Amino acid sequence: MREKIVIIGGGFAGLQLARNLNNQGKYKVMVIDKMNHHMFQPLFYQVATGRIEPSNISFPFRKIFQKSKNIQFRMTEVKKIIPSENKVIGEDGVFTYDKLVIATGCKTNFFGNEKMQDLALGMKNTQEAITIRNHILMTFEKMIIERKASDDGNWNLVIVGSGPTGVELAGAFSEMKSSILPRDYPRMNFSDLNIILISSSDKPLDAMSQESQDAAEKYLIQLGVNFMKNERVTDYDGEVIYMKSGNSIPTNNVIWAAGVTGNIIDDFNIENLVRNRYIVDRYNKVKGFDNIFAIGDIAYMETPKYPQAHPQLANVAINQGKNLARNFKKESEKDWTEYEYIDRGSMATIGKHRAVVDLPKFKFQGFLAWYFWMFLHLMLILSVRNKLAIFFNWMWSYINKDSSLRLIIAPSRKNATEQ
């Protein structure tokens, strides 16, 4: 009898685990995800700003495992885990397992603010990135009709959070403002359009080196981004965003990039959660269980080097998936290898020829960093076809300072009304 391994989630961690167990005859692997595709999240901001197609960074699971002899995929949302019966209860079925791996990743953290959750735009999946693109483009279409009668909120595009997602969005929208929108809407004056980045810290990219923080702030200013430092957002009513300092900004366009939280499974092992992440040992085994594991963003693993657990980064998720696959393949658990995170560095891009890179032994910024960022992200894309498509779009945009991907893809007004 082949051992049944169920993997919940097909993000970086879950996909790496499955691919490393592919065509391993002694395992029967089931990948469960509520989406039918894997998403390359680092480039969501380019989908949101109309630079690349969603399909270029989305990879259908059934295509990925098309030739696999031991991996199956089921599209459903997991509702419950019953450890005593080794069962996973999905929205559309029940799945049994010998080993269960939770790789559900994380979602946007609105810190309990329900109004913000309802009214602001998050960016943690393909649909949300497309929603941002639709919303921003619809705002411009509304402005061209209303002209001077357009309210102030349409002219302020606010991004909350100055991590990599926030600064990359701010840079991309600023370049759109200067190079693309004046050509799309030649009778409008976009000098009044404000790209506003709100940060709770003194510098952007506060998890990176001081050199990178300083360079990122300089690049944002060069691009005309209004960088509001040491500000904490307290509320948003759909028309005005409010801050703890008493400042407020009229805006109909708020993108929330201020944090993430674990995608936990309701009622499962909630007594062993730390910051919405499952406590695991050095082998990614969930506390209190012998055959349930958690990997990636959802796993909270304390180590001597990382006493507050690992950062929620793709590199951590990918290598936890690989390490767990290697351990599964070993004959005895006594031979298993503890996971140790090796920091390969971090990076962010803030517009054309502007990027920052922190590697373990040296740091660099500017033109070279931008090319390094592009090359590395291109190499991480799964298929050759998608690599070529993204490379073509990037080259076209580089030469022409333009793209043709500003499509508004939304339900028709009739359907929207009926819904």
Side-chain angles (χ1 to χ4, degrees):
M1 291 290 291
R2 292 189 294 174
E3 188 174 43
K4 295 178 69 175
I5 299 175
V6 171
I7 304 170
I8 305 174
F12 286 115
L15 182 62
Q16 278 298 327
L17 173 60
R19 293 179 76 186
N20 280 273
L21 295 176
N22 187 29
N23 292 328
Q24 298 291 315
K26 64 179 182 177
Y27 303 113
K28 184 178 180 181
V29 181
M30 177 72 74
V31 177
I32 302 173
D33 200 295
K34 61 184 178 182
M35 305 290 184
N36 81 327
H37 57 278
H38 169 75
M39 303 167 285
F40 190 75
Q41 295 185 11
L43 292 183
F44 276 164
Y45 86 94
Q46 295 210 359
V47 173
T49 54
R51 300 204 171 189
I52 57 177
E53 290 282 11
S55 59
N56 293 157
I57 58 166
S58 304
F59 308 90
F61 291 116
R62 295 196 179 279
K63 176 63 177 175
I64 294 172
F65 302 122
Q66 200 172 58
K67 297 179 180 179
S68 177
K69 297 177 181 178
N70 71 322
I71 298 176
Q72 297 182 52
F73 169 73
R74 295 293 182 270
M75 181 179 170
T76 189
E77 185 171 0
V78 171
K79 296 296 185 181
K80 190 175 183 180
I81 296 172
I82 307 177
S84 59
E85 300 178 21
N86 284 0
K87 287 183 178 179
V88 172
I89 311 299
E91 198 170 48
D92 305 300
V94 178
F95 310 90
T96 59
Y97 62 84
D98 296 310
K99 287 188 174 77
L100 174 65
V101 182
I102 303 170
T104 47
C106 56
K107 59 186 177 182
T108 302
N109 189 358
F110 291 95
F111 302 97
N113 190 322
E114 293 185 5
K115 284 202 293 183
M116 188 69 71
Q117 186 170 342
D118 291 338
L119 298 170
L121 302 167
M123 197 177 67
K124 288 303 294 180
N125 58 48
T126 308
Q127 289 86 341
E128 289 182 344
I130 294 171
T131 298
I132 290 174
R133 185 179 72 183
N134 288 341
H135 180 87
I136 300 302
L137 292 177
M138 283 298 295
T139 296
F140 297 143
E141 295 299 330
K142 184 179 178 181
M143 288 161 64
I144 192 69
I145 293 173
E146 296 177 349
R147 297 292 183 90
K148 294 181 180 180
S150 180
D151 69 73
D152 292 343
N154 289 328
W155 292 93
N156 293 323
L157 199 166
V158 176
I159 302 161
V160 183
S162 60
T165 299
V167 299
E168 287 169 353
L169 276 170
F173 278 123
S174 294
E175 290 187 329
M176 181 184 283
K177 169 187 172 179
S178 61
S179 302
I180 295 174
L181 296 180
R183 285 185 279 180
D184 279 0
Y185 306 90
R187 297 185 180 183
M188 288 182 65
N189 179 10
F190 283 98
S191 62
D192 293 330
L193 178 64
N194 301 304
I195 313 297
I196 302 166
L197 181 63
I198 300 177
S199 173
S200 61
S201 57
D202 187 56
K203 296 280 186 179
L205 304 175
D206 63 352
M208 296 185 70
S209 67
Q210 189 64 48
E211 298 97 314
S212 291
Q213 292 177 37
D214 292 340
E217 184 176 19
K218 180 183 74 174
Y219 295 150
L220 289 169
I221 293 170
Q222 287 175 351
L223 287 168
V225 175
N226 182 358
F227 179 59
M228 298 182 67
K229 59 181 69 176
N230 299 317
E231 290 279 12
R232 289 189 179 274
V233 172
T234 57
D235 204 2
Y236 178 52
D237 61 9
E239 296 181 352
V240 179
I241 193 166
Y242 300 93
M243 283 156 275
K244 191 175 181 179
S245 65
N247 291 329
S248 62
I249 303 169
T251 178
N252 304 325
N253 313 289
V254 175
I255 301 173
W256 188 266
V260 295
T261 185
N263 254 327
I264 63 169
I265 296 170
D266 289 346
D267 298 327
F268 173 68
N269 203 31
I270 55 176
E271 67 276 8
N272 288 321
L273 289 175
V274 176
R275 296 196 293 274
N276 253 30
R277 300 165 74 181
Y278 294 115
I279 299 174
V280 299
D281 63 15
R282 295 293 297 277
Y283 307 104
N284 284 96
K285 190 177 291 185
V286 174
K287 183 178 179 180
F289 299 93
D290 291 325
N291 65 338
I292 300 180
F293 303 79
I295 54 177
D297 292 344
I298 199 68
Y300 182 88
M301 179 192 294
E302 294 182 355
T303 71
K305 290 183 179 180
Y306 294 89
Q308 300 299 314
H310 300 110
Q312 291 166 296
L313 299 173
N315 188 40
V316 175
I318 289 168
N319 286 290
Q320 283 188 353
K322 289 179 178 179
N323 189 66
L324 187 59
R326 286 193 294 266
N327 285 338
F328 280 172
K329 292 175 188 177
K330 293 176 181 178
E331 294 296 328
S332 170
E333 284 195 27
K334 294 179 181 179
D335 300 324
W336 282 18
T337 302
E338 292 184 341
Y339 176 72
E340 187 66 71
Y341 173 51
I342 300 174
D343 186 1
R344 305 291 186 188
S346 54
M347 64 186 73
T349 180
I350 312 99
K352 185 177 179 181
H353 295 167
R354 298 176 176 93
V356 293
V357 175
D358 285 355
L359 298 180
K361 293 187 178 180
F362 64 99
K363 305 165 181 64
F364 54 105
Q365 302 85 34
F367 191 93
L368 179 62
W370 185 69
Y371 275 109
F372 184 82
W373 180 95
M374 285 205 305
F375 173 78
L376 184 62
H377 282 73
L378 196 62
M379 290 302 99
L380 290 172
I381 296 294
L382 287 183
S383 73
V384 174
R385 184 193 72 83
N386 289 53
K387 282 184 171 72
L388 291 173
I390 290 174
F391 179 76
F392 176 80
N393 283 331
W394 282 355
M395 290 302 99
W396 184 263
S397 178
Y398 182 83
I399 295 168
N400 294 286
K401 296 183 179 180
D402 199 356
S403 74
S404 57
L405 305 176
R406 293 181 296 283
L407 304 178
I408 298 174
I409 304 172
S412 67
R413 294 187 181 184
K414 180 181 178 183
N415 290 338
T417 302
E418 290 173 352
Q419 291 174 359

